Amino acid sequence: MAAAPRTLSGAEVRARCAQGACLVRCRRRLYDLSAFVRLHPGGEQLLRRRAGTDVSAALDGPPHRHSANARRWLEQYYVGELEPADEQVAAPAGHRARGQPAAAPAWVFPRARDLVDWRKPLLWQVGHLGEKYDEWVHQPVDRPIRLFHSDFVEALSKTAWYVVFLVWTPVVLYLSWVSYTALAQGNTRLFSSFTTEYSIPVHKYYFPFIFLLGMFLWSLIEYLIHRFVFHMKPPASNYYLITLHFLLHGQHHKSPFDSSRLVFPPVPAALVIGFFYGLLRILLPEMLGLSVFVGGLCGYVIYDMMHYYLHYGSPRKGTYLYGLKAYHVKHHFEHQKAGFGISTRFWDYPFRTLIPEETFEKEE
């Protein structure tokens, strides 16, 4: 039999808020969002709404409508019930008056038994979920994920955000210098493998434009991989494709705030980066291909840093990054089949995968 929920008095709620906690109330149910609120696009507005002592609900009104997944997510922070005598503490308009039955809100989800054993590595479990996998993986939780039994392999699958910057930025700078100095020698020509008479010399002055072309191409590759590889729906009967999907991206959607899994670890990243470098060496003259490659590599570093910031940063309201963070949160919690752009929404327009503007309600 489940234990009775803890009851908190209005005085205790006010005291915890005065100490910096962020408690949110919906009817009598109390949720402690202290550890999460600053990660949410509307977190700062929620703190202002609370104003130190306010414990009113923020789910049924501004700053925006919440999805079913967001409300499931909230249940992880449930801490107890407000005492009936204190129900009018900062009660929002429209909530029940004192003395009415203390009915739970309609969106409260029961705490069902999870489909996996979180005490064990998940990678070898998810393939057995079959037809339940797609729904399960798109119901996010706030807890770290372990993938492998081996501590060494597990360590290679995780990384801190700054490692990506420290590893790849020197590579970008060095290869940029190599590309520019090689182009400055004047030996690089386009189409020289087909014709010498009409081949086009590639001057060093073209390097910034080639570099930017590489960044632009990376943004397209980022979109295509995110949409068609990371968001493929694996067949319910295929254990291995489900496992592969979870390894590539499903883990991120299941636990979107696992800070050690928000950027691509350098070891597996090096394999993918090496593949694209080899492809460009085949398609383009050596130094031209290297110039495109280094621009794309720079785009990748910016993408990974941007992705981490969209999860853990607190951009100022009204800025481009604030809107992009809200856009990405919508992708995680409500529109998993749209909003595939991370560092930019650009490719969502021509591919018609833009998250509808009407889902972003105006603040009052």
Side-chain angles (χ1 to χ4, degrees), residues 31-74:
Y31 304 88
D32 189 347
L33 301 184
S34 305
F36 174 70
V37 66
R38 293 190 185 279
L39 304 179
H40 188 285
E44 295 179 2
Q45 286 70 41
L46 185 61
L47 285 172
R48 284 200 294 270
R49 179 189 295 270
R50 179 177 58 79
T53 58
D54 185 11
V55 292
S56 61
L59 289 180
D60 300 320
H64 55 257
R65 178 179 60 82
H66 286 76
S67 66
N69 269 337
R71 291 164 176 177
R72 285 190 184 93
W73 177 276
L74 182 72

Side-chain angles (χ1 to χ4, degrees), residues 11-299:
E12 184 177 358
V13 169
R14 285 189 290 270
R16 290 177 63 171
C17 287
Q19 293 171 1
C22 180
L23 294 177
V24 172
R25 175 167 75 88
C26 190
R27 296 181 171 88
R28 285 179 54 196
R29 295 176 69 84
L30 292 169
Y31 304 88
D32 189 347
L33 301 184
S34 305
F36 174 70
V37 66
R38 293 190 185 279
L39 304 179
H40 188 285
E44 295 179 2
Q45 286 70 41
L46 185 61
L47 285 172
R48 284 200 294 270
R49 179 189 295 270
R50 179 177 58 79
T53 58
D54 185 11
V55 292
S56 61
L59 289 180
D60 300 320
H64 55 257
R65 178 179 60 82
H66 286 76
S67 66
N69 269 337
R71 291 164 176 177
R72 285 190 184 93
W73 177 276
L74 182 72
E75 290 301 312
Q76 298 173 100
Y77 306 106
Y78 173 69
V79 292
E81 308 278 328
L82 186 65
E83 287 185 353
D86 292 314
E87 283 183 60
Q88 294 304 308
V89 175
H95 279 213
R96 68 179 182 85
R98 184 180 300 175
Q100 290 183 347
W107 49 262
V108 171
F109 297 93
R111 295 192 176 188
R113 182 181 66 85
D114 207 321
L115 299 176
V116 297
D117 186 349
W118 286 86
R119 298 169 297 180
K120 300 177 181 178
L122 295 189
L123 188 61
W124 315 119
Q125 300 182 57
V126 295
H128 297 295
L129 297 181
E131 61 185 13
K132 298 179 181 178
Y133 170 74
D134 191 64
E135 180 181 3
W136 173 84
V137 82
H138 289 120
Q139 292 179 358
V141 296
D142 188 10
R143 61 193 305 174
I145 283 178
R146 184 179 179 95
L147 292 178
F148 300 98
H149 292 281
S150 167
D151 291 339
F152 176 72
V153 178
E154 178 71 8
L156 292 180
S157 72
K158 301 158 60 174
T159 191
W161 69 269
Y162 53 83
V163 172
V164 172
F165 182 82
L166 293 177
V167 168
W168 295 114
T169 301
V171 177
V172 170
L173 295 175
Y174 173 73
L175 293 182
S176 295
W177 177 79
V178 169
S179 300
Y180 180 80
T181 54
L183 292 178
Q185 295 176 10
N187 298 324
T188 302
R189 303 182 73 88
L190 191 60
F191 307 126
S192 59
S193 59
F194 300 104
T195 173
T196 55
E197 184 178 357
Y198 297 105
S199 62
I200 302 173
V202 181
H203 299 290
K204 63 181 180 180
Y205 308 108
Y206 296 164
F207 175 75
F209 303 101
I210 301 171
F211 186 93
L212 291 175
L213 174 63
M215 294 185 66
F216 180 77
L217 290 176
W218 161 253
S219 71
L220 174 60
I221 292 170
E222 167 206 327
Y223 174 90
L224 295 175
I225 291 176
H226 191 189
R227 179 179 179 182
F228 295 107
V229 179
F230 289 171
H231 279 272
M232 68 171 181
K233 185 176 180 180
S237 60
N238 195 311
Y239 171 90
Y240 298 102
L241 282 181
I242 292 175
T243 302
L244 177 63
H245 177 269
F246 190 72
L247 176 64
L248 292 177
H249 197 60
Q251 51 162 315
H252 175 53
H253 269 262
K254 187 62 183 175
S255 184
F257 290 97
D258 186 344
S259 61
S260 64
R261 299 190 182 279
L262 284 176
V263 295
F264 205 10
V267 172
L271 300 176
V272 178
I273 289 170
F275 167 79
F276 283 113
Y277 173 70
L279 185 62
L280 287 171
R281 283 289 303 271
I282 294 173
L283 297 176
L284 297 171
E286 182 179 1
M287 284 303 115
L288 181 59
L290 184 61
S291 300
V292 174
F293 170 78
V294 71
L297 183 59
C298 180

